[in-house]
Amino acid sequence: MTSGLRSAFNFGLLGGVVAWHACLVGMVESFSERRLIGETVELSYVWLVGIVLLIGYLKARNVQAPGIAVFHSIVSGATIGAALTLLALLTSVFNLRDIFPFASPRLVELLTLERGIADALGLLFPILGGAVLGAAAGGLALAPPIWRRTITVALLVTVLIGLLRDIFAAIVPRDVVSLIFTSRGLLPMGALVVFVVSGALTWLIGTFGLPGISTDASSASRSVATPWKYAYLGFGVLFLLTFPLWGKLFLSNVANFIGLYIIMALGLSLVIGFAGMLDLGFVAFFAIGAYTMAILTSPKIGTFTLTFWQALPFSMLFAFLSGVVLGLPVLRMRGDYLAIATLGFGEIIRILALSNFLKPYMGGAQGITSVARPEIAGFVISKPEPFYYIVLIGCVVAWFVAARLKHSRLGRAWMAIREDEDVAQAMGINRVETKLLAFAIGAILGGMSGAFFAGLVGSVVPKSFELLVSINVLAVIIVGGMGSLPGVLVGALVLVGLPELLREFAEYRMLVYGAVLVVMMLFRPEGLWPEAVRKRELHKDETSAPQRVTTSVTASTTPSVKD
Amino acid sequence: MLTLKDIHTFYDKIEALKGVSLTVNEGEIVTLIGTNGAGKTTTLKTISGVHKPRQGEIIFEGRRIDQLPAHEVTKLGIAQSPEGRKIFGRMSVRENLEMGAFGRNDKDQIRKDFTRVLDLFPRLNERLNQPGGTLSGGEQQMLAIGRALMSRPRVLLLDEPSMGLAPVLVDHIFAIIKEINQQGTTVLLVEQNALMALAVANRGYVIQTGVVVMEDTAKNLRENEMVQKTYLGID
Ligand SMILES: Nc1ncnc2c1ncn2[C@@H]1O[C@H](COP(=O)(O)OP(=O)(O)O)[C@@H](O)[C@H]1O
Ligand SMILES: [Mg+2]
């Protein structure tokens, strides 16, 4: 019992550290003016509330008895609150601003609900608030899964819609906007409506499934009835085709970046997800594609002045060749060594582009401007809205290629290599050739994305090809789910789309990124939209629950006879 | 049919095989017995091309194969069921079997072999769509052997098929090995379970720390005093 309490206290301390961190890097103070709901719910509190809920939830999950679990969550929550009270005291007694510029009087006001430390209620506020939220989190953890999911989704959706207010304002007619939004966030009524509607939808879908999609079997054998399938498909196609019309400039821009990342991530997915090779320098192929496009089309370099469409195959060809050239020596390496070698390659390309020595050919730090824009039937496509369609086609092509490959003979070989290289060879698979193909085909997609990027932006500079791009693409794949193609879409939407939409957090982007990845690894290590097999592997203990076992048995005792 | 002549195989500086010579004739079951670490697995890996010998020759049907890459060796008709089974855990049973036929493109024959394997191992037939990783140990062993058979090998290399299996299953597996052999596949069987191995084999070799110390018919080996003491646990 006492050790249990101590663990609850430790969880609270951990949360306290995170909360302190959020306060001291300014995530609380900077957003105190950001009214998310009505005039009272500020974004600054949302962070702190989120931290308490998460910690309370985690704590309650690792305790068996329900009553004790909630009690422990309350202890954890109150501990976090106490840490914040302490921070408020420290901040007002000592001058911490030399070290932490955000440890300001304003922070104290925020933490004490504008009452200051002289007021006992002000000091108690974080502790009481923490305890209440801890209890809520504990209750949530114990709630039946469907309710847990409903409430979590509804909360997240509400916060997200509040955050995205400006974007809705840009694309939805003004009268509709003023129904649920204030000038900065959601109206209290609007928030309630969003919460209830999103919650109700989640509950309905969780209970009855989407119309036409049967939920009786596990997601491995989810099947869609044909008319509904066409309905969903039709809706999806319509959505994609009309996107720039209602998404306008801003959303088209965002969509284009998501698209470029999707193409890249599909390419890298072949390498990592299918063939299991950790490539940390994928940006190299993106850069090669972009620079090839720029060099071959820009009059500023002037050696060649091809059109966009003429240069595109060369971009892909050079990416392919560089994939082979890089692949031949490094594919004999395993694991870590491969990762480091590819990491180096990514940097080499960028540094070459930066170098003064190659400046006449690659433009040095200023890069290359006046890259050709694609032209269709006499129209030059330079605006993001029409360019969207080119990116969309690129995505469709890349998707098609990746999906076909996955189920091809080559895809099988990749999968076998990923599982066990020696055995794969014993099956008659040529290891070097197979891996090289993954590398080089992935590189083609990277190059294609790069070429689009150059044509979209109209210029290339070395700064666009930093290591961060490789990391982003990798994160897209991990968050989406290794080796899963729909996962790539989801991952790109979440990791590329959201940050673009939530520009306010630009400063904290990496911080949030890191936090998201950690939380993902804790809760959904298989990714947001995993392959069925991986999901099963990573949740073995849960799948052995009685009702799941019966479904897997029925699935396995009715083998479909193939050809 | 398959001959190893004075094979030396190294792991860096460790000489795991110090001049192994052995012969497998067409239609035989030959067993290679030895204690843990004697070099049995290394011998099979050297034959299948996963490890290259530093010295010596391997001749298969008149051809030297010791320098061929592993995937080429497989195509010539040597398949192996590796130690610890090593089935593809994420692939279904069906996909595992299909992987076994990766190097072939004679579709009709592949289908015939598929049926043949499922006839040998009806248990697999019931689990065709189940991921390999969820099979029991015995089923995984069956799958590993089945997968090897899918390449329609002329020689089948088996690395400790009885390892970790319940006695009933061991009997079953050995009965099937015998049946596979009677259907025309030559077998090189590596085992620590000398008792069972010598019961099904025609001839046997005894390997100790990388050296073949004895070779004889299975019958003679069973009656040999040293073999009885060291490998059969008979005093
Ligand atoms: N990958 C390896 N690296 C280094 N030494 C190895 C490796 N595999 C096996 N060995 C060594 O080679 C010898 C023979 O091993 P092995 O062929 O696996 O024996 P067995 O299969 O008969 O148990 C042992 O001494 C073992 O330690
Ligand atoms: Mg062994």
Side-chain angles (χ1 to χ4, degrees):
Chain A
M1 184 63 206
T2 42
S3 80
L5 261 185
R6 181 168 313 145
S7 137
F9 182 65
N10 286 341
F11 266 78
L13 281 186
L14 180 70
V17 170
V18 179
W20 272 43
H21 182 256
C23 291
L24 293 177
V25 299
M27 286 186 83
V28 171
E29 200 180 323
S30 318
F31 296 119
S32 67
E33 292 308 308
R34 182 71 160 83
R35 302 273 189 273
L36 207 56
I37 300 171
E39 286 301 310
T40 44
V41 181
E42 293 167 2
L43 182 54
S44 47
Y45 290 124
V46 170
W47 293 132
L48 298 177
V49 169
I51 292 167
V52 178
L53 286 179
L54 184 67
I55 293 288
Y57 177 79
L58 287 177
K59 179 62 222 168
R61 288 218 80 175
N62 76 19
V63 179
Q64 299 297 333
I68 298 175
V70 174
F71 176 60
H72 281 186
S73 304
I74 294 176
V75 171
S76 298
T79 309
I80 300 175
L84 290 173
T85 302
L86 183 65
L87 180 64
L89 282 172
L90 286 176
T91 308
S92 29
V93 176
F94 302 104
N95 182 8
L96 302 177
R97 297 195 72 169
D98 294 337
I99 313 170
F100 301 112
F102 289 103
S104 63
R106 180 75 196 117
L107 180 64
V108 177
E109 284 173 19
L110 283 169
L111 290 178
T112 56
L113 206 62
E114 321 282 336
R115 285 167 183 274
I117 57 160
D119 186 330
L121 213 60
L123 281 181
L124 276 179
F125 165 69
I127 302 179
L128 290 177
V132 170
L133 288 169
L140 196 61
L142 297 174
I146 176 76
W147 284 108
R148 185 164 71 222
R149 195 153 139 210
T150 302
I151 294 173
T152 318
V153 170
L155 274 177
L156 287 177
V157 168
T158 312
V159 169
L160 200 62
I161 291 197
L163 283 175
L164 296 179
R165 185 250 165 221
D166 290 348
I167 288 146
F168 285 104
I171 59 173
V172 178
R174 187 165 299 177
D175 321 339
V176 182
V177 168
S178 60
L179 276 182
I180 59 169
F181 289 111
T182 64
S183 59
R184 283 184 289 190
L186 281 164
L187 282 165
M189 254 340 260
L192 193 65
V193 169
V194 171
F195 184 85
V196 169
V197 169
S198 58
L201 280 178
T202 315
W203 188 83
L204 285 173
I205 292 173
T207 312
F208 302 109
L210 279 174
I213 298 181
S214 64
T215 46
D216 50 341
S218 60
S219 61
S221 52
R222 180 182 288 168
S223 61
V224 184
T226 320
W228 280 102
K229 192 169 167 180
Y230 287 121
Y232 287 128
L233 206 66
F235 177 77
V237 169
L238 196 69
F239 175 87
L240 286 176
L241 286 182
T242 57
F243 188 84
L245 303 180
W246 47 266
K248 314 262 169 60
L249 177 68
F250 179 70
L251 283 189
S252 298
N253 244 327
V254 174
N256 286 343
F257 274 95
I258 296 176
L260 293 179
Y261 266 98
I262 288 176
I263 298 174
M264 259 194 287
L266 286 170
L268 187 60
S269 193
L270 303 182
V271 182
I272 296 186
F274 294 6
M277 300 180 280
L278 184 53
D279 179 353
L280 292 183
F282 201 67
V283 67
F285 304 120
F286 182 67
I288 287 168
Y291 266 97
T292 305
M293 176 58 72
I295 291 168
L296 292 183
T297 64
S298 171
K300 295 277 154 77
I301 298 294
T303 324
F304 313 88
T305 40
L306 303 183
T307 67
F308 178 90
W309 298 116
Q310 287 167 337
L312 184 60
F314 287 100
S315 284
M316 289 156 74
L317 178 69
F318 283 125
F320 173 80
L321 292 178
S322 52
V324 173
V325 169
L326 170 66
L328 274 176
V330 306
L331 289 183
R332 294 175 192 282
M333 307 177 186
R334 291 189 188 221
D336 313 347
Y337 299 106
L338 177 69
I340 292 168
T342 51
L343 187 71
F345 182 65
E347 283 296 280
I348 288 172
I349 298 293
R350 188 178 63 87
I351 290 167
L352 278 182
L354 251 177
S355 71
N356 274 330
F357 173 66
L358 290 173
K359 196 166 178 178
Y361 314 102
M362 301 184 77
Q366 284 80 46
I368 305 173
T369 54
S370 313
V371 179
R373 311 291 193 150
E375 211 173 295
I376 293 175
F379 293 101
V380 178
I381 297 172
S382 58
K383 291 215 179 69
E385 294 97 322
F387 208 101
Y388 166 89
Y389 292 102
I390 293 180
V391 175
L392 181 64
I393 291 171
C395 285
V396 171
V397 170
W399 176 277
F400 189 72
V401 168
R404 286 305 290 264
L405 280 174
K406 184 172 187 173
H407 299 289
S408 70
R409 207 178 134 71
L410 185 57
R412 279 290 170 74
W414 286 337
M415 211 164 143
I417 293 254
R418 181 175 77 175
E419 292 210 22
D420 192 316
E421 279 192 14
D422 286 346
V423 181
Q425 288 186 81
M427 300 292 112
I429 293 168
N430 183 336
R431 183 173 70 97
V432 173
E433 187 187 295
T434 308
K435 288 178 124 187
L436 198 58
L437 273 174
F439 221 68
I441 296 175
I444 294 180
L445 293 183
M448 175 163 114
S449 181
F452 283 178
F453 173 74
L456 172 66
V457 179
S459 63
V460 292
V461 288
K463 219 177 151 10
S464 309
F465 307 104
E466 288 180 336
L467 174 63
L468 191 59
V469 178
S470 299
I471 295 175
N472 280 339
V473 183
L474 183 60
V476 163
I477 292 176
I478 293 173
V479 167
M482 266 311 176
S484 151
L485 294 180
V488 166
L489 302 190
V490 178
L493 282 175
V494 172
L495 286 187
V496 185
L498 277 187
E500 288 294 326
L501 296 179
L502 304 173
R503 275 288 168 82
E504 309 165 76
F505 304 113
E507 275 180 70
Y508 303 104
R509 186 169 175 159
M510 292 320 281
L511 190 69
V512 175
Y513 222 80
V516 167
L517 285 179
V518 171
V519 171
M520 280 285 308
M521 290 305 116
L522 284 175
F523 290 100
R524 263 188 98 91
E526 74 275 26
L528 292 175
W529 190 322
E531 282 182 301
V533 180
R534 265 183 75 75
K535 192 166 166 183
R536 201 160 25 214
E537 277 170 13
L538 287 162
H539 290 272
K540 269 203 182 108
D541 38 341
E542 293 161 38
T543 36
S544 59
Q547 83 270 26
R548 287 284 196 91
V549 167
T550 33
T551 55
S552 77
V553 167
T554 39
S556 60
T557 46
T558 51
S560 61
V561 181
K562 202 176 161 190
D563 50 47
Chain B
M1 182 182 208
L2 177 68
T3 308
L4 277 67
K5 283 188 194 157
D6 190 30
I7 288 293
H8 294 256
T9 303
F10 288 73
Y11 292 103
D12 279 329
K13 286 183 185 136
I14 305 165
E15 188 172 14
L17 299 186
K18 303 165 185 161
V20 168
S21 301
L22 58 83
T23 304
V24 181
N25 298 315
E26 183 143 21
E28 277 186 317
I29 299 185
V30 173
T31 184
L32 180 64
I33 56 179
T35 50
N36 202 0
K40 305 181 297 295
T41 298
T42 308
T43 306
L44 292 195
K45 283 191 171 171
T46 310
I47 296 173
S48 64
V50 175
H51 275 288
K52 301 278 175 286
R54 208 171 279 182
Q55 194 187 318
E57 290 181 11
I58 304 176
I59 295 158
F60 177 61
E61 301 192 313
R63 253 185 91 169
R64 267 192 78 163
I65 59 164
D66 45 86
Q67 294 308 321
L68 287 182
H71 60 101
E72 298 286 349
V73 174
T74 308
K75 284 180 190 155
L76 291 179
I78 300 180
Q80 85 161 303
S81 157
E83 183 176 357
R85 342 206 204 282
K86 302 235 169 100
I87 52 153
F88 299 115
R90 290 195 188 158
M91 295 187 198
S92 68
V93 168
R94 178 198 300 280
E95 287 167 334
N96 264 281
L97 292 175
E98 284 168 358
M99 279 316 301
F102 189 85
R104 305 169 57 182
N105 37 28
D106 45 344
K107 280 222 169 106
D108 295 344
Q109 295 302 318
I110 291 177
R111 203 169 310 158
K112 264 190 201 149
D113 287 338
F114 189 71
T115 332
R116 172 182 161 220
V117 167
L118 294 183
D119 286 345
L120 279 173
F121 303 108
R123 290 272 276 274
L124 296 182
N125 200 3
E126 295 161 19
R127 291 170 169 70
L128 275 181
N129 296 321
Q130 198 170 319
T134 62
L135 298 182
S136 73
E139 290 159 357
Q140 291 197 0
Q141 187 59 59
M142 296 175 191
L143 180 55
I145 297 175
R147 185 180 62 182
L149 287 176
M150 284 301 290
S151 67
R152 186 172 279 202
R154 318 240 310 114
V155 177
L156 177 62
L157 312 178
L158 298 172
D159 198 342
E160 304 211 26
S162 74
M163 194 207 269
L165 298 189
V168 198
L169 272 174
V170 174
D171 290 346
H172 183 63
I173 294 276
F174 275 94
I176 288 171
I177 293 172
K178 192 120 204 185
E179 190 175 337
I180 291 168
N181 177 250
Q182 276 159 7
Q183 290 177 6
T185 310
T186 309
V187 175
L188 174 55
L189 169 65
V190 153
E191 264 299 344
Q192 279 192 59
N193 187 342
L195 188 66
M196 289 302 295
L198 290 174
V200 294
N202 306 105
R203 294 189 303 116
Y205 292 80
V206 179
I207 185 170
Q208 259 173 21
T209 57
V211 183
V212 173
V213 292
M214 217 182 283
E215 92 168 83
D216 212 328
T217 60
K219 182 165 173 293
N220 286 346
L221 285 176
R222 274 200 304 267
E223 286 158 7
N224 182 291
E225 205 174 315
M226 185 278 231
V227 173
Q228 287 189 343
K229 261 197 177 143
T230 326
Y231 302 101
L232 302 178
I234 304 170
D235 285 305

